Amino acid sequence: MEKPRYILADMTWPEFREALATVDLALIPTGATEQHGPGGTFAVDTARADGFTRLLAERLYPRAVAVPAIPFGFSPHHMPFPGTITLEADTFQAVVEEVVGSLHRHGLRKFFILNAHGGNRDALDLAIATLKDRYPEILIGWVQISGLVTDIRDPDGKESPLMGHGCERELSQSLYLAPWTVRPAAMGPSPLTDRAMALHHPAIKVGKTFDEITRDGGLGNSANASYELGRRLIETALDRLTDWLQANF
Amino acid sequence: MSELYALAEMTWPEFQAARAHLEIALVPLGATEQHGPGGTFAADTARTEAFVRQLAGRLHPKAVCLPAFPYSVSLDQMCFPGTITLSAATMTRVVEQIAVSLIRHGLKKIFFVTGHANTGPVLNNAVANLKSRYTEVKAGWVYLSSLAPDLRTAHLDGPGGHADEAELSECLYLAPDTVRIDALVPGDPVPGDPPLRPIKLARPFSAVSRNGALGNPVSASRQLGQMLISASLERLEAYLREHF
C-alpha cells in the first residue's frame, strides 16, 4: 500500500481544494534533460528530483503538495554532447517564478524547490530573491539534494577525486530512486582531460563546456555506484530536510 | 510496446548512434490544469506523452520523442484551484529553446504535439520565429484532439469542449490514471449565449462551466478513446511521412 501523499498531477481540482485545508507548502522539483555519461540517461536529474520530492511529500503529508517536475534546465555546458536540451537561464528562472506565482494565486505562501541539477543553481538563487521581493509575505527556499549529505561517504572508501556528474554519488541516488535511468552495463571510470583539475579551481571561475573536462561526459567512476549508498544518501537527506522544514517552514 | 526512441530513456552515446536514422524530433507539450471533477491536472501532459510515444513507435527509427513539458499557458483556468500557468512569453521561449537545442544537435525537423488547445497561439508564434531564424528547418505543431473532427461529430452527443467525453475518452485509452471514473459528472455550463463567431472574448473558464467541464464526461469510454486516437495517429503519421 502506497503511503498517503499529495501529488498535484494525480489530483482533480475538487480534491486539491479539499487538500488546501491542510496543505500549506508546495514542493517544486527541478531537473534537466542532459547527458550523464554512458552510464546514465538524459532523465537522471529530472527523475531523481521527482522521486525525491514524492518521498518528501509522503513525509510531510498532509501539509505538502508536490507539483510536476520541471524537466528542462540550464545546461549549455553539456551541449557538446548530443541530445542535451537547454533553456536559457532567464527562461528557466521565469518558469520557476511563474509556477510559484500560480500557486501563490491559489493561496499557498510556503514554497520549497528540490533541485537535482547543478546548472540550475544560479537561476534558482535569482528566482527566490525575485519572488521574495515580489511577495514579501512568503517563505521560499531551495536546496541541492546532494548538498544535504556531503558528509555521507562511501563506506568502502571507493571515491574518485572529481565527482558531481554521472558519478558514483549521483548514480547511486538514481539506482535507489529511478533505476530505469541507469545503465549498469555501461558504467565505469570516466577519463578526465588534462585540463580538468585546472578548470575546477576552488575560487577562480572559468567558462567551460563539459567536453573540456571529461571525455565521455561523466565524472568519477560510476561502476562504484550502489543501491545501498543511494539509499543512505537519499534517506539521510530526507531525514534532515524533513526536520529542517518542520522546524523552519 | 513497440520499439521507439525516447530521449529520457537514452544515454548520449545511444542518442548519437540513433542520429544516423533520426530525422524528426517529436515534442509533447502538456499543461497542469484542471479537467473538471473527472480528470486530474495531468490529463493533458500524460495523454500527450502517451500519444507521442505511440507516434514515435510508428515512425521508428526516424523519430525521437522528447520528455513532455508539463506546464503551459492556462490563464483562463486559474479560477480553479491547483491550475498552474506560465505567461505566454515564457512558454514561447521554452518551446523555442527546446527546438534550438535540437537544431544544434543536427535535427532539421521539429514537430510539437500539444494536448492543450490554448498552447496554439504560442506555437504559432514560436514556429514562425523558428522558421525565420532557421530557414532550413521544418517546424510544425498540432493539437492532438483536433485530428479527427469527423469522428467527434459522429460519436459525440453535442459540441463538448474542455474535459468533455472525447478528451476523457482519449485519457482512458492513453493514460487511465488521469480519470476518476467514479467522479464523472456532466459538464455544468453557465447558461447564456456563446459569443457570436468569430468574436473572441477573454473570460475565466468559471464563466463558461461551473464545474470545469463541458459536454457529457459520463459517457467517456476507453473504446471511444481508442477509436479517436487510432484514427488521429494514423492521420498524423501519414501527414508527417508525406509532407514533413
Side-chain angles (χ1 to χ4, degrees), chain A:
Chain A
M1 185 67 191
E2 235 174 46
K3 290 181 188 158
R5 57 189 182 186
Y6 288 132
I7 307 293
L8 184 66
D10 299 342
M11 303 171 84
T12 66
W13 78 262
E15 291 164 2
F16 180 77
R17 185 176 57 182
E18 206 171 299
L20 279 177
T22 58
V23 167
D24 71 344
L25 170 62
L27 305 173
I28 303 157
T30 52
T33 296
E34 161 182 297
Q35 72 84 17
H36 277 79
T41 72
F42 289 96
V44 161
D45 288 340
T46 304
R48 212 155 38 89
D50 194 46
F52 184 85
T53 303
R54 286 166 178 265
L55 293 176
L56 186 61
E58 282 176 5
R59 296 199 178 209
L60 294 172
Y61 179 85
R63 61 166 296 211
V65 61
V67 308
I70 300 173
F72 302 107
F74 184 54
S75 304
H77 48 308
H78 290 283
M79 285 300 285
F81 294 93
T84 298
I85 308 287
T86 188
L87 301 182
E88 291 170 16
D90 58 344
T91 299
F92 173 76
Q93 184 188 332
V95 171
V96 171
E97 288 179 22
E98 291 168 19
V99 169
V100 170
S102 298
L103 295 163
H104 183 269
R105 280 268 301 273
H106 299 311
L108 289 167
R109 295 293 180 265
K110 298 178 183 178
F111 310 92
F112 203 79
I113 299 159
L114 296 307
N115 181 46
H117 169 52
N120 293 341
R121 283 181 291 211
D122 297 298
L124 288 172
D125 278 339
L126 295 170
I128 67 167
T130 304
L131 286 161
K132 184 66 187 166
D133 182 56
R134 191 178 300 157
Y135 312 111
E137 77 284 12
I138 67 172
L139 273 179
I140 186 162
W142 75 271
V143 75
Q144 186 75 16
I145 295 167
S146 306
L148 286 162
V149 283
T150 48
D151 58 317
I152 307 283
R153 313 311 305 187
D154 186 315
D156 302 330
K158 291 183 295 190
E159 286 193 359
S160 310
L162 184 57
M163 292 192 288
H165 184 81
C167 63
E168 49 269 52
R169 288 181 74 79
E170 179 168 63
L171 295 188
S172 291
Q173 298 171 36
S174 301
L175 281 169
Y176 181 60
L177 288 171
W180 59 272
T181 63
V182 179
R183 295 273 186 278
M187 291 162 110
S190 287
L192 297 178
T193 65
D194 297 340
R195 299 175 63 210
M197 296 315 282
L199 287 168
H200 268 266
H201 192 280
I204 299 169
K205 309 273 187 184
V206 181
K208 53 189 178 275
T209 49
F210 235 63
D211 60 333
E212 295 177 295
I213 302 167
T214 158
R215 300 194 193 283
D216 71 2
L219 295 174
N221 181 0
S222 56
N224 289 337
S226 73
Y227 176 93
E228 182 49 31
L229 176 60
R231 190 189 64 76
R232 283 184 59 221
L233 290 169
I234 293 302
E235 291 297 326
T236 308
L238 283 167
D239 287 344
R240 292 175 180 178
L241 185 56
T242 302
D243 287 350
W244 192 87
L245 286 170
Q246 294 291 38
N248 298 290
F249 251 63

Side-chain angles (χ1 to χ4, degrees), chain B residues 40-207:
Chain B
T40 71
F41 289 96
D44 288 339
T45 306
R47 158 171 137 274
T48 309
E49 186 164 35
F51 180 88
V52 174
R53 288 180 69 94
Q54 288 201 27
L55 184 62
R58 284 169 174 253
L59 294 171
H60 188 76
K62 289 167 63 169
V64 61
C65 165
L66 262 75
F69 188 69
Y71 299 109
S72 186
V73 180
S74 299
L75 294 161
D76 62 327
Q77 303 287 0
M78 284 300 288
C79 44
F80 290 94
T83 296
I84 299 202
T85 190
L86 302 184
S87 65
T90 297
M91 185 63 186
T92 308
R93 283 151 62 194
V94 168
V95 166
E96 287 179 13
Q97 288 165 21
I98 293 169
V100 168
S101 297
L102 293 164
I103 291 166
R104 284 181 61 184
H105 297 309
L107 282 155
K108 297 275 192 288
K109 298 179 181 181
I110 320 284
F111 197 81
F112 300 96
V113 179
T114 177
H116 173 52
N118 284 350
T119 309
V122 160
L123 285 166
N124 278 334
N125 288 341
V127 164
N129 287 343
L130 288 165
K131 224 23 233 182
S132 79
R133 212 178 303 158
Y134 304 96
T135 46
E136 77 288 7
V137 165
K138 282 191 170 175
W141 70 274
V142 73
Y143 170 46
L144 85 81
S145 301
S146 69
L147 284 159
D150 49 332
L151 295 177
R152 291 176 63 99
T153 309
H155 294 273
L156 264 59
D157 300 333
H162 184 71
D164 65 4
E165 59 268 42
E167 185 171 11
L168 293 188
S169 293
E170 293 175 357
C171 287
L172 279 170
Y173 174 58
L174 290 168
D177 287 350
T178 63
V179 182
R180 294 277 186 275
I181 290 286
D182 300 332
L184 290 176
V185 291
D188 187 10
V190 176
D193 296 326
L196 180 70
R197 286 172 68 95
I199 292 171
K200 304 213 177 178
L201 280 183
R203 50 190 180 158
F205 198 69
S206 55

